[in-house]
Amino acid sequence: MDDMLKDFVVEALDLATNVEEHLLSLERHPNDTDTLNALFRSFHTIKGGAGFMNLPAIVSACHLTENLFDGLRTGKVPVTPTAIEAGLQASGFVGDQLKQLANGAAPETLPAMPDALKDILTQAIEGKAAAAVAAAPAEAPQAAPATAAPAAATLPGGELDWEALYRAVVPAGTLPAPQAPAAPAAATVTPIAKAATEEGAKPVIAQVKEDTIRIDAVKLDALLEVAGESVQAANQAAVLLEKLAQFKFEGQAAALMSTLAETLARASRYSTELQRATLSTRMQPVGRLFQKFPRLVRELAKDLGKDVDLVIEGAETEVDRVVVDSLYDPLVHMLRNALDHGIETADERAATPKAAKATIRLKAWQEGSSVMIEVSDDGKGMDPDRLRTKALSKGLIGDNAAQTKEEALQLIFLPGFSTKEVASSVSGRGVGMDVVKTAVEKHRGAIRIDSELGEGTRFTIRLPIELSIVPTMLVRTSGALLAMPMAVVQRVVELPEEFSAVGGAPVLRDQGRPLAVRSLAEILGYEPCREKVGIVIAAPHPYILAVEGVDGTADLVIKPLTALAVPGVNGTARSAEGELVLVISLAFLLDGCKIMSNRLAA
C-alpha cells in the first residue's frame, strides 16, 4: 500500500468508527442537528478521499448515504429505524472495505457495493419525501484516475484535504457545488478547495505547522524497551557508585568522584524522563475501545428480543495501548454473557419491579497505579448453588470444593464451564470466561465478580496503567528476592513470635480486625524461614502475607515468563544491584495467594 492510500485508510477508519457512535446516538435523539451534521460530514469526507484514490464502491455507498443524511438534516426525510439501519449497514460496508485495504488488499480487488445495501439506502432516502429522491442522483460519479495531488490540498496539522483532491481530478461540471461548512473548524477548507478547482488559478500554498505524526507501533515499543533498559542501567550504576563511595578518595580522585556522581544523577534523571515520555505516547483513552460496543449490544439485544441500554462512563480514562488492543475480545465475551445470561427476557422482567428496559454499564476509572474497568448489568444475577451443582455434574470440581459464595462465583472461569443446556450463536459452548481471565492475567491484571440473585452482576477488572514499568515492593523470603505490585500493598507490620489461631490457622489483629496470616515461603514451596515482617494485602478479603524481610520499593521493568508457568509468578525483573527478581502476580495476591488447583481439588 502506498503512503497516500495508507493515510486515507487510517483517517477514513477513524471517521467510520465515529459514524457508528453518532448513528446510535441519533437513534436515541432524532432531532440532534449536531449529530446529523457530523454524520453528513463524515461520509462526505470519506467519499472525497475514496474518489481521489479511485475506490468506486466506497464512493457509491458514501454518496447514497450522504444523500440520506442530507435529507435527514434538512427535514425532507424522517429519522426512522430503516434510516438508522441503512446508515449502520453503509458504515459497516465502508469499514469492511477499509479494513481489507489496511490488510493489504489491492483496491481493484474490492467487491462492488451490494444491491441489498443500495436498496435499503434508497428506501430510507425515499421515506415519505419524494422530493428528496428527485434531488439525489441515482449513481455516484466515478472518479477519473488520480494523477498528481495539488500541493495546496492540506489541512491544519498536515493532513490531506481529500475533498479538495477529489474535486481537483474530476472533470468540471460533473459534481454538485461544494457544501457549505457546517462548523467553524471546517471553514479553512473552503479557500483551498476553491483555489484547486478554479480554472487557470494557481493553488495558494499556506505554511502549515505539523504537530502530529504517525509512528509504527513496533518502533514505539522498541523505543520503550530501550528507555526502560537505560533506566535500569542508570540505577545499577548508582548502586555501584554508592559502593565506591565507601572507599576513601583524595585529591584529584575525590574531585573525579564528585563529578561522576553529578553526571550520573543527571543521566539518571534524563533517562527516567525519557522513559516516562515514551510511556505517555503509548497511553490511549479506553473510549477508543468502548465506542465499538454500542452497535454490538444493539444488534445482539435485537437478535435476543431484549430491550437493553448500554451506558458508557469514563471513556476518557487512559491506559497502555497494548491493554486497549487486548481487551476487545474479553469485553465482547462479557457483554455477550450479560445479554444472554444476565438480562431477563421481556416476560421474566415484567414479573419483577425492575424497569422494562434493562441496563448494561461499561465503566472505567483510574485508581492509584491501576485502571479499573467494570461491566455490570441489572439482570437476574448468578446463583452460587446452581453454579456449584453444574460444576460438580461436569466433573470440574470435587465434592469439597467451592464451599463459599465467592469461590462458587469463580467457577465460571473454569475451562469448559457453562450453565447453558443448549448452545446458541451467542453462548453455551463452555468457552468465554476462561479466556477473559487468561487475557486479563496475561497483562498482570485481576478480575473479580460480585453478584446478587435477582439484582444483577458486576465484573471488575484491575489492570496496571503502564505495562512495562510497575511500582513494586521488594521482599525476601528464604533468601529469594521477590517483587509484589504496590497496588495491593496496604502497609507493613511487624510479626510477633506467636499468633492467635482460628480453626488452626494463624491470625493477627490489625487495626481492630482479625486477619489471616499466610506464609509466602510455604505458598511458593520455599524452605521454611523466620518470617518477621507482614505485608497487609488490600484484597477483597484482606490478609497478611508473611515474609522474611522488606528490601524497599522499586519501579521495575517487567519481562513476562514465556518458557514456563510458575503458579503465583508472572514475570521477572532485575534489581538495581542486578539480582534476578521474581514478580508475584497481582491476580494471585488478590485471590488470597491460593493456587487454583488446590482451591478446586476434591
Side-chain angles (χ1 to χ4, degrees):
M1 186 190 307
D2 62 50
D3 290 342
M4 188 172 287
L5 179 59
K6 185 175 182 179
D7 284 345
F8 163 71
V9 169
V10 171
E11 293 171 19
L13 274 171
D14 284 343
L15 286 170
T17 303
N18 291 331
V19 160
E20 287 192 359
E21 187 178 355
H22 288 319
L23 281 165
L24 296 173
S25 174
L26 182 65
E27 188 174 38
R28 297 190 297 270
H29 310 288
N31 298 321
D32 188 340
T33 55
D34 289 340
T35 300
L36 281 167
N37 286 331
L39 283 164
F40 179 85
R41 288 195 301 271
S42 294
F43 280 104
H44 190 65
T45 303
I46 294 173
K47 184 187 79 170
F52 182 75
M53 302 310 303
N54 199 18
L55 302 169
I58 295 180
V59 170
S60 298
C62 287
H63 187 72
L64 278 177
T65 314
E66 184 184 11
N67 289 340
L68 168 63
F69 286 106
D70 188 36
L72 291 174
R73 67 178 186 162
T74 58
K76 296 178 180 177
V77 177
V79 177
T80 62
T82 300
I84 298 297
E85 186 62 33
L88 286 171
Q89 288 191 25
S91 172
F93 172 73
V94 170
D96 288 343
Q97 293 236 325
L98 293 170
K99 287 171 187 173
Q100 289 182 56
L101 290 170
N103 291 331
E108 60 272 14
T109 65
L110 296 180
M113 181 175 70
D115 290 339
L117 176 58
K118 181 179 179 181
D119 290 344
I120 192 171
L121 283 167
T122 303
Q123 291 171 21
I125 291 169
E126 288 173 353
K128 294 182 179 179
V133 180
E139 294 292 336
Q142 297 295 319
T147 52
T154 56
L155 296 170
E159 296 180 357
L160 292 173
D161 179 5
W162 298 110
E163 173 68 11
L165 291 170
Y166 182 35
R167 292 183 174 279
V169 298
V170 175
T174 62
L175 289 173
Q179 297 290 332
T188 54
V189 179
T190 308
I192 299 175
K194 183 178 180 182
T197 54
E198 284 181 353
E199 188 175 352
K202 292 184 178 181
V204 179
I205 302 177
Q207 185 65 31
V208 178
K209 178 184 176 182
E210 294 190 9
D211 48 16
T212 59
I213 59 172
R214 290 193 178 91
I215 301 176
D216 191 297
V218 175
K219 294 178 180 177
L220 198 58
D221 292 343
L223 175 61
L224 180 59
E225 184 172 352
V226 171
E229 294 295 345
S230 70
V231 170
Q232 201 79 357
N235 291 342
Q236 290 179 10
V239 171
L240 291 173
L241 185 64
E242 188 177 343
K243 291 180 178 180
L244 276 175
Q246 297 173 4
F247 297 93
K248 187 176 181 180
F249 293 92
E250 295 179 352
Q252 188 175 2
L256 285 173
M257 280 294 293
S258 177
T259 303
L260 177 60
E262 292 176 4
T263 303
L264 181 58
R266 191 166 64 252
S268 178
R269 184 172 67 253
Y270 287 148
S271 63
T272 300
E273 289 177 2
L274 171 63
Q275 183 188 54
R276 294 299 175 191
T278 308
L279 279 170
S280 68
T281 63
R282 292 213 328 185
M283 302 298 283
Q284 293 185 345
V286 292
R288 171 179 169 266
L289 174 66
F290 285 3
Q291 67 185 0
K292 299 177 182 179
F293 297 126
R295 183 177 179 185
L296 180 146
V297 170
R298 175 186 182 272
E299 294 184 352
L300 190 54
K302 183 177 170 185
D303 291 342
L304 294 170
K306 297 180 179 180
D307 192 6
V308 182
D309 189 21
L310 177 65
V311 177
I312 292 177
E313 299 176 15
E316 71 284 353
T317 305
E318 290 194 331
V319 70
D320 194 297
R321 173 189 63 82
V322 178
V323 174
V324 172
D325 292 342
S326 65
L327 276 179
Y328 176 75
D329 286 339
L331 288 176
V332 166
H333 282 303
M334 295 168 77
L335 289 169
R336 289 165 72 93
N337 276 359
L339 282 160
D340 195 26
H341 292 275
I343 302 301
E344 306 94 335
T345 63
D347 291 340
E348 290 172 335
R349 202 165 175 91
T352 72
K354 300 177 184 178
K357 190 167 193 175
T359 300
I360 294 177
R361 196 172 300 274
L362 185 55
K363 180 181 178 182
W365 71 96
Q366 186 175 332
E367 191 172 285
S369 59
S370 300
V371 63
M372 312 295 290
I373 296 177
E374 183 180 285
V375 179
S376 61
D377 65 70
D378 63 350
K380 53 192 170 188
M382 291 191 284
D383 184 347
D385 293 334
R386 183 177 177 230
L387 296 177
R388 188 172 183 278
T389 302
K390 199 69 178 178
L392 280 168
S393 69
K394 287 178 172 284
L396 297 174
I397 60 171
D399 292 336
N400 299 320
Q403 296 293 329
T404 68
K405 175 185 175 182
E406 290 76 14
E407 290 175 336
L409 292 176
Q410 291 290 321
L411 293 173
I412 69 169
F413 292 122
L414 290 176
F417 183 86
S418 176
T419 56
K420 276 280 188 179
E421 299 296 339
V422 180
S424 68
S425 61
V426 179
S427 62
R429 293 179 172 81
V431 295
M433 294 311 294
D434 61 312
V435 174
V436 171
K437 187 175 178 70
T438 300
V440 170
E441 293 184 352
K442 177 183 176 184
H443 294 298
R444 296 190 291 282
I447 182 170
R448 62 169 296 189
I449 311 169
D450 296 294
S451 187
E452 293 295 333
L453 200 58
E455 296 182 16
T457 301
R458 179 173 66 248
F459 290 88
T460 305
I461 297 173
R462 178 193 288 266
L463 290 158
I465 292 177
E466 300 169 355
L467 282 183
S468 300
I469 310 298
V470 180
T472 65
M473 174 171 281
L474 298 176
V475 300
R476 286 193 182 273
T477 191
S478 301
L481 186 62
L482 301 109
M484 59 179 65
M486 286 295 295
V488 292
V489 175
Q490 206 165 64
R491 64 185 155 277
V492 178
V493 297
E494 185 179 355
L495 297 181
E497 292 285 343
E498 296 182 357
F499 298 95
S500 302
V502 175
V507 170
L508 180 66
R509 188 167 291 277
D510 175 68
Q511 295 186 344
R513 58 182 178 173
L515 299 180
V517 180
R518 293 169 187 156
S519 165
L520 183 58
E522 182 182 343
I523 291 167
L524 296 181
Y526 289 127
E527 291 290 328
C529 63
R530 171 72 175 94
E531 293 171 319
K532 305 174 184 177
V533 179
I535 314 296
V536 181
I537 303 297
H541 299 284
Y543 62 96
I544 295 175
L545 191 61
V547 299
E548 190 175 10
V550 174
D551 277 22
T553 61
D555 289 349
L556 296 181
V557 180
I558 308 296
K559 296 187 181 297
L561 286 176
T562 54
L564 72 164
V566 180
V569 175
N570 68 351
T572 62
R574 290 281 176 186
S575 69
E577 291 81 4
E579 187 176 355
L580 180 67
V581 182
L582 295 179
V583 182
I584 303 174
S585 161
L586 174 67
F588 184 65
L589 291 167
L590 288 173
D591 201 29
C593 289
K594 299 175 184 176
I595 306 297
M596 177 67 79
S597 57
N598 292 339
R599 178 167 43 122
L600 299 178

